[in-house]
């Protein structure tokens, strides 16, 4: 894995590379001795033996070709070179301490910072986006960047903290928390049902006008069913296709045909009677809506609270209440 670091001039990059040959243990030991005024007290501060501190400082002095301390049996003091080195090191030490404190605050302090979220267009727009206002009210110091894309987000290259994914997950490198089952329902408008009826089994789909969704890869999405305990995928004859699920839904609402759509998109229309579902007995039951992230360990506070909030909020929605058809 490569790190994306700011571009540096070549001479700075060479200086940085050569500095890695220096004894950073020696620098730490030097700072501790300078601050404590004693090798013994520095050793106690660092939790190591006095001889280890002495060896680290001696190695650093050899690498710098300079004596940093005047040592007597009773006293330890900085040489002129030591004073100069300490003054130059001190701002860097302060920056390191500040960086460590900021990282600790990210893990343990009040939730704050940037949070980049990826979701599919439909689920993100209809389920996740409406929940963000209340989340921001609870955590005003967290800045939200929601990216909607039906393509699979890459956590590293896309710099994603949390992703919502639908269906069946095959990426074993991510932690996937199933929020709710994902229903796939074949639906039609009452006007279509009145004119053409509904299929009673999967084989009768060929006699109906079907509306398809074209994926971001450019292919027509299969219709998925479970027939006699076995998965079955098919692409029934199509009257029209769209590369946007909302356009598919609009076509179905106009009575132009049947479509297989996610339950979260059609649940309200089914409750209101604007759509009718069929073939529910053949609906697949192995899909879900997942909240995904890369690791359970060392999660920043902003990510932990978002995971907890969204898990409870999404599960509290009536996404599965579809006129008794919930899986």
């Amino acid at each position: 894995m490569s790190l994306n670091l700011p571009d540096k001039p070549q001479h700075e990059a060479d200086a940085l590379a050569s500095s890695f040959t220096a004894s950073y243990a020696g620098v730490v030991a030097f700072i501790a001795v300078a601050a404590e005024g004693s090798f013994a007290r520095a050793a106690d501060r660092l939790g190591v033996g006095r001889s280890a501190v002495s060896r680290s400082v001696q190695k650093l002095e050899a690498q710098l070709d300079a004596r940093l301390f005047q040592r007597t049996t009773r006293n330890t003091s900085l040489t002129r070179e030591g004073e100069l080195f300490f003054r130059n090191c001190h701002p860097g030490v302060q920056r390191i301490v500040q960086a460590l404190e900021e990282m600790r605050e990210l893990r343990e302090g009040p939730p704050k910072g940037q949070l980049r979220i990826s979701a599919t267009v439909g689920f993100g727009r209809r389920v996740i986006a409406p929940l963000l206002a209340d989340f921001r009210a609870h955590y005003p110091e967290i800045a939200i960047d929601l990216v909607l894309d039906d393509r699979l987000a890459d956590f590293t290259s896309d710099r994603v903290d949390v992703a919502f994914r639908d269906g069946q997950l095959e990426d074993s490198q991510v932690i996937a928390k199933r929020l709710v089952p994902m229903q796939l329902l074949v639906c039609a408008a009452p006007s279509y049902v009145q004119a053409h009826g509904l299929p009673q089994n999967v084989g009768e789909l060929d006699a109906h006008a079907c509306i398809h969704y074209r994926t971001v890869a450019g292919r027509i999405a299969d219709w998925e069913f479970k027939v006699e305990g076995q998965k079955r995928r098919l692409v029934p004859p199509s009257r029209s296709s769209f590369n946007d699920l909302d356009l598919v839904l609009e076509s179905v609402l106009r009575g132009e045909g049947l479509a297989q759509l996610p339950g979260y998109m059609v649940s309200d229309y089914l409750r209101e009677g604007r759509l009718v579902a069929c073939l529910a007995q053949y609906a697949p039951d192995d899909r879900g809506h997942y909240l995904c992230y890369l690791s359970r360990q060392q999660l920043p506070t902003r990510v932990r609270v978002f995971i907890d909030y969204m898990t409870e909020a999404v599960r509290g929605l009536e996404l599965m209440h579809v006129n008794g058809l919930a899986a």
Side-chain angles (χ1 to χ4, degrees):
M1 181 182 70
S2 61
L3 297 179
N4 295 320
L5 298 176
D7 292 336
K8 290 180 176 293
Q10 186 60 44
H11 70 277
E12 290 188 24
D14 292 342
L16 180 62
S18 64
S19 74
F20 284 125
T21 63
S23 171
Y24 285 98
V27 174
V28 172
F30 165 75
I31 294 292
V33 174
E36 296 293 333
S38 162
F39 277 77
R41 288 195 295 271
D44 290 340
R45 178 77 174 270
L46 296 175
V48 298
R50 178 176 177 174
S51 60
V53 174
S54 181
R55 284 196 302 271
S56 295
V57 171
Q58 289 173 2
K59 183 178 180 180
L60 178 64
E61 289 177 322
Q63 290 170 332
L64 297 176
D65 194 21
R67 189 170 183 82
L68 300 176
F69 292 105
Q70 295 284 2
R71 306 172 180 86
T72 68
T73 55
R74 296 184 178 182
N75 189 36
T76 298
S77 61
L78 288 168
T79 64
R80 290 185 181 275
E81 292 80 5
E83 290 176 354
L84 176 63
F85 190 63
F86 182 77
R87 284 199 302 270
N88 289 334
C89 285
H90 192 262
V93 172
Q94 292 298 104
R95 292 288 298 275
I96 292 171
V97 171
Q98 181 182 353
L100 291 171
E101 289 298 323
E102 289 179 357
M103 292 302 296
R104 188 175 296 108
E105 287 181 4
L106 287 177
R107 295 193 308 271
E108 303 172 1
K112 63 180 179 180
Q114 183 83 13
L115 188 63
R116 187 170 174 84
I117 306 156
S118 170
T120 56
V121 175
F123 193 76
R125 180 180 293 145
R126 292 175 178 270
V127 179
I128 302 305
L131 297 173
L132 292 180
D134 188 62
F135 176 79
R136 283 194 296 265
H138 282 82
Y139 304 103
E141 294 189 60
I142 297 179
I144 299 293
D145 181 12
L146 175 62
V147 180
L148 301 184
D149 196 329
D150 286 331
R151 291 172 295 184
L152 198 63
D154 182 272
F155 281 89
T156 303
S157 62
D158 295 329
R159 301 180 67 86
V160 169
D161 295 300
V162 177
F164 292 91
R165 296 179 178 175
D166 304 330
Q168 296 171 294
L169 299 189
E170 299 177 356
D171 189 348
S172 60
Q173 295 182 343
V174 303
I175 307 300
K177 187 174 188 178
R178 180 161 157 156
L179 300 175
V180 290
M182 179 181 178
Q183 288 183 309
L184 289 175
L185 299 171
V186 178
C187 300
S191 59
Y192 180 89
V193 176
Q194 185 175 5
H196 306 284
L198 288 173
Q200 299 303 305
N201 57 63
V202 173
E204 292 183 8
L205 283 171
D206 289 347
H208 287 268
C210 296
I211 304 165
H212 290 321
Y213 168 63
R214 188 177 295 276
T215 70
V216 293
R219 68 174 186 83
I220 297 296
D222 295 338
W223 291 31
E224 300 181 30
F225 299 98
K226 189 172 185 180
V227 180
E228 296 180 353
Q230 300 297 316
K231 295 181 182 179
R232 183 172 175 184
R233 295 174 176 266
L234 56 91
V235 180
S238 172
R239 167 173 289 183
S240 55
S241 63
F242 303 92
N243 68 346
D244 185 300
L245 276 175
D246 281 318
L247 295 180
V248 175
L249 175 59
E250 289 176 12
S251 181
V252 174
L253 288 169
R254 289 194 297 268
E256 296 174 359
L258 302 171
Q260 188 177 57
L261 291 164
Y264 70 84
M265 292 190 70
V266 299
S267 58
D268 287 342
Y269 297 107
L270 290 164
R271 279 189 285 267
E272 296 166 2
R274 296 180 61 190
L275 288 179
V276 177
C278 64
L279 305 180
Q281 68 273 31
Y282 302 110
D285 57 6
D286 58 350
R287 302 175 67 88
H289 297 292
Y290 295 87
L291 187 154
C292 304
Y293 49 100
L294 280 182
S295 174
R296 288 190 175 93
Q297 297 180 341
Q298 298 176 328
L299 279 176
T301 308
R302 67 182 186 280
V303 176
R304 290 204 306 267
V305 297
F306 183 80
I307 290 171
D308 293 342
Y309 178 89
M310 282 296 167
T311 299
E312 182 177 355
V314 172
R315 288 176 177 174
L317 300 175
E318 294 186 347
L319 299 181
M320 305 304 297
H321 183 66
V322 186
N323 292 348
L325 299 177

